[in-house]
Amino acid sequence: MAAVRDRPRHRRHRCARFPCRRLAGRPGAQRLVLTSRRGPAAPGADALVADLAARGARATVVACDVADRNALAAVLEAIPAAHPLTAVVHAAGIVDDGIVDAMTPQRLSSVLSAKTMGAAHLDALTEGMDLDAFVLFSSLAGMLGNPGQANYAAANAYLDSLAEQRRARGLAATSIAWGPWAEAGMADEQVAATGGHRAGVGALDPELALIALGQAVDHRDCVVAVADIDWAALAPGLTAVRPVPLLEHLMGAPGVEAGAVTPETGRDTGPARATALRAELAAAAGPEGEQIVLDLVLEETALVLRHGSAGEIDAERPFRFLGFTSLAAVELRNALSAATGLTLPVSLIFDHPTPAAVAEFLSAGLAPEPAPPGTGSILAELDRLESTLAAQLLEGDEAEALATRLESILSRLQVPHQENSKVAENADSKLEEASVDDLLRSSRASSESPDPTQQKVPGERQPKE
């Protein structure tokens, strides 16, 4: 930890053994207070204390549930005045994933309590102390969201907001939204908690992560994300079914819209993939196109289930027998939405319970709309042009010349439509500007105009009134 004074300092850690070991060697971190629900009885606690001692730090392990305000207050009061508390690191957290329909008050409470209640109590109980650092271990899930982690995302978003509130009160605060860590004992939980299984999210080197931690505190950053992310690979899956405002500026960055090839699959993951798929289907005959879509479904299913190849998936076997959970169902839906460009329902595999049934549903959605009479050959030429452009990357003068040509063609097609639109707009404008009296006069004039069926005919006797 950086930005510290030359006096002893205490830190509180929870489920963060690697950071304890790494930070124990830093100046000012010679005295540590570590809390967990089981305290000294927690597996590996004695070994951790011995390891920290070898690094020059004296650690005291205390049994305390930080969500219990009274218990936490007792721990803080027990810190000797000779070695006052000067920094806090709140790294508590548990994961209990599930889709929204399966989320219960108990599942929300258990996840929220560990992070939010502990952080809130630490904030309130240390408000009058002159802390050098108040560090909150947040998660990328709170910034970007993650399927099945509504409770966990909310808990971490609270930590980020708390850091902002503390800064507004003039207090030290740094919330770090971590990506998954690549370290035994932490990786499994971190990957689950941050969606590290998704394409585009790599595991952080712990040493680099802790360097980033020190820099964030040194620079007095308030809320910062630290993660190993390939945006070109991650963004399509995140934005396939809903907009993500945080990524809007990244989606416009060079290389993102065009997609990227992930090392895991060797395939494009961006919007260009959906365009290429449609071009491939447009050039394929009926059964051939259906097989292309089925292969896509089997490949994505194999990736979600972590199988070696699509050949391991039986197209006619129901998803529930393939080992799908509700979270896997959401992941497959998102992957297929990104691959096809279609907006797919969350209930996709429940409404279409086998890979073959999903492929049939996707084929119907990907089928080109029937062309109006007389336009078939023109639209076919446009399909070929679109396919050609998708396979090439035009730049500079060539791209500008093509854009100008296409705009000229489009403007000629729009002229008749625009003229008709102007006539309609003028009529609408006159109607909107008319007053009530104008409308009444118009209606009276229409009712008093001669009825052609009642016109006098020469030589015909008219009935008396």
Side-chain angles (χ1 to χ4, degrees):
M1 189 73 68
V4 297
R5 290 186 286 250
D6 294 330
R7 59 173 172 163
R9 58 192 59 244
H10 293 254
R11 305 183 191 278
R12 304 180 63 259
H13 288 262
R14 172 92 182 271
C15 300
R17 297 181 179 183
F18 187 88
C20 284
R21 294 186 177 100
R22 177 65 176 81
L23 295 174
R26 295 176 63 89
Q30 284 76 37
R31 290 181 177 270
L32 307 174
V33 177
L34 311 178
T35 68
S36 70
R37 282 196 176 96
R38 286 181 287 182
D46 291 340
L48 177 60
V49 171
D51 187 10
L52 295 175
R55 298 169 185 266
R58 178 181 174 183
T60 302
V61 181
V62 180
C64 174
D65 181 357
V66 292
D68 184 335
R69 182 185 176 108
N70 292 333
L72 180 59
V75 172
L76 296 178
E77 290 172 0
I79 296 176
H83 305 290
L85 182 71
T86 57
V88 167
V89 176
H90 178 51
I94 63 173
V95 178
D96 186 7
D97 294 349
I99 60 175
V100 173
D101 288 349
M103 197 59 60
T104 64
Q106 291 73 24
R107 299 179 75 175
L108 284 168
S109 176
S110 62
V111 173
L112 291 174
S113 176
K115 278 187 174 287
T116 64
M117 295 301 295
H121 294 334
L122 283 168
D123 171 46
L125 294 172
T126 64
E127 186 171 12
M129 301 180 185
D130 185 18
L131 298 180
D132 292 319
F134 187 95
V135 182
L136 302 169
F137 273 37
S138 179
S139 167
L140 200 62
M143 286 191 171
L144 298 180
N146 197 36
Q149 293 193 319
N151 50 1
Y152 192 77
N156 286 287
Y158 174 87
L159 297 188
D160 297 340
S161 298
L162 178 61
E164 296 280 3
Q165 291 175 357
R166 283 183 59 88
R167 281 296 180 90
R169 286 181 275 147
L171 302 175
T174 297
S175 182
I176 302 180
W178 294 108
W181 287 46
E183 179 69 18
M186 296 182 65
D188 291 343
E189 181 178 349
Q190 287 283 348
V191 168
T194 56
H197 60 278
R198 296 181 305 197
V201 180
L204 286 167
D205 181 306
E207 290 293 336
L208 295 179
L210 290 170
I211 290 173
L213 168 63
Q215 291 175 342
V217 176
D218 281 345
H219 298 159
R220 298 190 177 276
D221 292 329
C222 184
V223 178
V224 62
V226 179
D228 182 5
I229 295 179
D230 179 353
W231 292 110
L234 177 65
L238 286 176
T239 59
V241 294
R242 62 180 174 84
V244 180
L246 182 62
L247 299 182
E248 286 182 355
H249 67 290
L250 291 170
M251 292 298 289
V256 174
E257 286 191 349
V261 177
T262 64
E264 295 89 349
T265 65
R267 295 184 306 168
D268 287 338
T269 58
R273 183 184 178 192
T275 302
L277 174 64
R278 289 178 180 271
E280 186 179 6
L281 292 176
E288 183 182 353
E290 294 171 1
Q291 186 61 48
I292 292 173
V293 177
L294 178 58
D295 289 343
L296 169 66
V297 174
L298 295 176
E299 289 169 6
E300 296 297 343
T301 300
L303 287 174
V304 169
L305 295 177
R306 313 298 186 263
H307 287 333
S309 70
E312 300 178 30
I313 307 298
D314 183 350
E316 299 295 340
R317 187 173 176 80
F319 286 105
R320 68 178 185 275
F321 295 142
L322 291 173
F324 264 73
T325 63
S326 57
L327 296 182
V330 173
E331 186 178 351
L332 179 61
R333 185 279 304 260
N334 290 354
L336 291 174
S337 289
T340 62
L342 299 174
T343 300
L344 303 175
V346 177
S347 59
L348 177 67
I349 73 167
F350 303 103
D351 298 335
H352 311 279
T354 67
V358 168
E360 183 178 355
F361 174 73
L362 295 181
S363 294
L366 292 167
E369 297 181 1
T375 63
S377 60
I378 297 176
L379 293 180
E381 291 295 333
L382 285 176
D383 287 339
R384 282 192 285 273
L385 174 60
E386 185 178 16
S387 177
T388 300
L389 292 177
Q392 298 184 16
L393 181 62
L394 301 181
E395 297 179 346
D397 294 341
E398 188 177 11
E400 184 177 352
L402 177 60
T404 301
R405 182 74 177 275
L406 292 176
E407 289 172 358
S408 175
I409 295 173
L410 182 60
S411 65
R412 291 200 297 271
L413 291 174
Q414 289 178 332
V415 168
H417 172 71
Q418 290 173 348
E419 291 178 350
N420 292 334
S421 298
K422 288 180 180 178
V423 173
E425 288 174 3
N426 290 336
D428 291 342
S429 177
K430 290 180 180 179
L431 184 60
E432 291 175 358
E433 295 172 358
S435 65
V436 174
D437 291 338
D438 293 335
L439 294 176
L440 290 175
R441 282 195 296 271
S442 176
S443 175
R444 191 179 302 115
S446 298
S447 63
E448 294 176 354
S449 61
D451 186 343
T453 63
Q454 299 297 324
Q455 293 295 319
K456 182 182 290 186
V457 179
E460 180 180 4
R461 181 179 296 175
Q462 298 299 317
K464 293 182 178 180
E465 297 184 358

